[in-house]
Amino acid sequence: MSKSLKLTLDILIGAAAPVLILKYGTAPLGTLPAYLAAALVPVAWVLIDLFVISRRFNFITTYGGASAIMRGALAFWYVDGALFAFKDSASYLLAFIIFGLTALVGTPVTRSIALQGLDPDTPERTEQMQRLLDESSVVRAMKQSALLIGITNLAAGGVNYLINYRMVTAPFNTPAFNDQVANVNAITRIVLVLPDMLALFFAFSMMYKAMYALLPADEGADPDAGEFWTLLKRREDALALVHTGQGGLPETAAEAMARRQAREEFGLS
């Protein structure tokens, strides 16, 4: 499945379908069945993608699957008012815990994301990648990027809580409740996704810039000379000879290559 088709299905099933089910499915299906269907259809899509379509098990897919299972379990917690607002914001809190807290204690999860994104396919490349990720400037960038993602999710969760608390005021298991939840979803599943996507893009750019800045300059003669693994191999060869750091890529070149790498993570290149 192409990345563009996958993104389209994610939007349609994850964002549009719950709103449509709550708006137009409550009357024919019943209040509670419509509510559960709206909550569980996106969860089912994530799990189908994980176990049937992509069948790729790594940090990102595992995190997505765990978040989906949590949302599916919380769907059966029948609450309204402040508790519903908290329940609807739980996924943001989970993201803050995973990204934000690991940035402060232990190894930031962005390290796993970088390894997954660049996908070293041999033991030698894995060792080279690990040595690059152990550089102090890269470690610092990994922590900063994880903290950026964590804080963004914490802020988005706070906004999501306030919107739900103010707009979803009807009692649970009533048509009015479903309609209010649909109205909130129509706002939050679009508006709050934007800062999250921007935070991810800038976080990825930050950590890739730190990595590319330590790689040797692109000589330009070979069309593959600027490819990541080619540059990393040249860095390893240079370190084996002199055991010291090198000047690395020019700042603008490192930034450009980092942005390109980040775009590739989102399927935009």
Side-chain angles (χ1 to χ4, degrees):
M1 182 184 297
S2 67
K3 289 185 177 181
S4 59
L5 176 59
K6 173 67 165 54
L7 179 61
T8 301
L9 290 175
D10 285 342
I11 294 172
L12 290 176
I13 300 175
V19 174
L20 295 175
I21 293 172
L22 289 169
K23 281 286 187 181
Y24 304 107
T26 296
L29 296 176
T31 305
L32 184 58
Y35 171 78
L36 290 176
L40 296 178
V41 163
V43 174
W45 165 245
V46 172
L47 296 180
I48 289 172
D49 177 48
L50 176 59
F51 291 104
V52 178
I53 299 176
S54 65
R55 289 183 291 182
R56 294 185 63 187
F57 298 93
N58 47 48
F59 169 78
I60 292 179
T61 58
T62 302
Y63 168 69
S67 298
I69 292 172
M70 183 191 73
R71 291 194 299 271
L74 287 175
F76 295 94
W77 184 24
Y78 302 144
V79 291
D80 50 32
L83 287 177
F84 175 79
F86 172 79
K87 180 181 81 168
D88 196 67
S89 305
S91 60
Y92 295 101
L93 182 59
L94 176 65
F96 169 71
I97 292 172
I98 291 178
F99 285 92
L101 294 187
T102 60
L104 300 175
V105 294
T107 302
V109 296
T110 43
R111 182 185 178 104
S112 298
I113 294 175
L115 281 168
Q116 175 190 325
L118 292 164
D119 193 23
D121 54 0
T122 66
E124 180 185 16
R125 285 183 170 182
T126 299
E127 291 178 3
Q128 293 172 351
M129 185 72 184
Q130 295 286 4
R131 283 191 287 270
L132 180 64
L133 293 177
D134 287 337
E135 294 283 354
S136 59
S137 59
V138 178
V139 172
R140 182 167 58 252
M142 292 290 172
K143 291 184 176 181
Q144 291 172 345
S145 61
L147 194 59
L148 173 61
I149 297 171
I151 290 176
T152 301
N153 273 274
L154 183 63
V159 172
N160 186 75
Y161 177 89
L162 291 175
I163 293 175
N164 275 278
Y165 183 73
R166 292 179 66 88
M167 292 184 63
V168 184
T169 57
F172 179 78
N173 200 20
T174 62
F177 179 87
N178 281 15
D179 187 66
Q180 290 171 358
V181 172
N183 293 336
V184 168
N185 285 347
I187 297 172
T188 59
R189 299 201 181 203
I190 296 176
V191 174
L192 294 184
V193 166
L194 296 178
D196 186 45
M197 295 296 288
L198 286 173
L200 286 171
F201 180 80
F202 283 114
F204 289 173
S205 297
M206 184 190 306
M207 61 188 190
Y208 287 128
K209 177 186 172 183
M211 286 187 279
Y212 278 111
L214 295 177
L215 300 181
D218 181 1
E219 294 176 345
D222 184 348
D224 293 326
E227 194 266 337
F228 177 82
W229 295 111
T230 302
L231 294 173
L232 184 59
K233 179 64 167 60
R234 287 175 51 202
R235 175 183 187 269
E236 289 287 315
D237 292 342
L239 290 176
L241 290 174
V242 299
H243 299 288
T244 61
Q246 61 288 316
L249 287 173
E251 185 72 6
T252 54
E255 290 177 353
M257 298 179 80
R259 287 195 295 270
R260 184 186 68 188
Q261 190 75 48
R263 288 196 299 271
E264 290 177 356
E265 293 285 344
F266 286 86
L268 301 176
S269 296

